[in-house]
Amino acid sequence: MTDTTTDTTTDPATSGHALPKPGVWPGVLYDDIAAARGFLTGVLGFTEALIVPDENGAVVHGELRWPEGGGVMVGSRRPDAHGGTGTLERAPQWIYVVTADPDAVYERARAAGATVEQEPHDTDYGSRNVAIADPEGTVWVFGTYPGA
């Protein structure tokens, strides 16, 4: 078993502070990857770490980092994505992102005209959450709960 708790990287978005490398990478495929990248970086606050396009401009592999740690993989929705598992059907999905300030994410999203699925609120388990839908319907829940 490998101990990843000391495996860190630095991110210019956090003034070079060390961040833990994410051990779980949720992946989301998009029909309009350019719009998704613009929304995730320009509105929600992710930073692009790596974008690998194919010869037609589709993204075969993308990595976006959350400034407070962690990341998500993104790509273009195609029938051959990930060895043929990139079904063209869309299923409802949501992704939880830990943040110290969900209200700031809410304000950015609201100012950009994003769809707010759930206004900022306090939960019964001690988190403050807000839920924002991206342009293709994936719901991004930003909250203060770091997990058990």
Side-chain angles (χ1 to χ4, degrees), residues 25-103:
W25 284 89
V28 184
L29 299 176
Y30 288 98
D31 294 320
D32 186 344
I33 190 65
R37 287 167 55 196
F39 181 81
L40 295 172
T41 59
V43 175
L44 296 183
F46 285 87
T47 59
E48 286 190 355
L50 175 68
I51 300 295
V52 180
D54 69 9
E55 63 278 356
N56 299 316
V59 173
V60 295
H61 178 75
E63 296 177 15
L64 305 180
R65 295 284 181 150
W66 182 243
E68 296 175 72
V72 63
M73 291 186 193
V74 295
S76 298
R77 181 179 307 284
R78 308 178 326 251
D80 63 336
H82 300 283
T85 62
T87 177
L88 294 179
E89 294 180 27
R90 292 200 48 92
Q93 49 190 335
W94 64 274
I95 298 171
Y96 184 83
V97 180
V98 177
T99 182
D101 195 354
D103 292 290

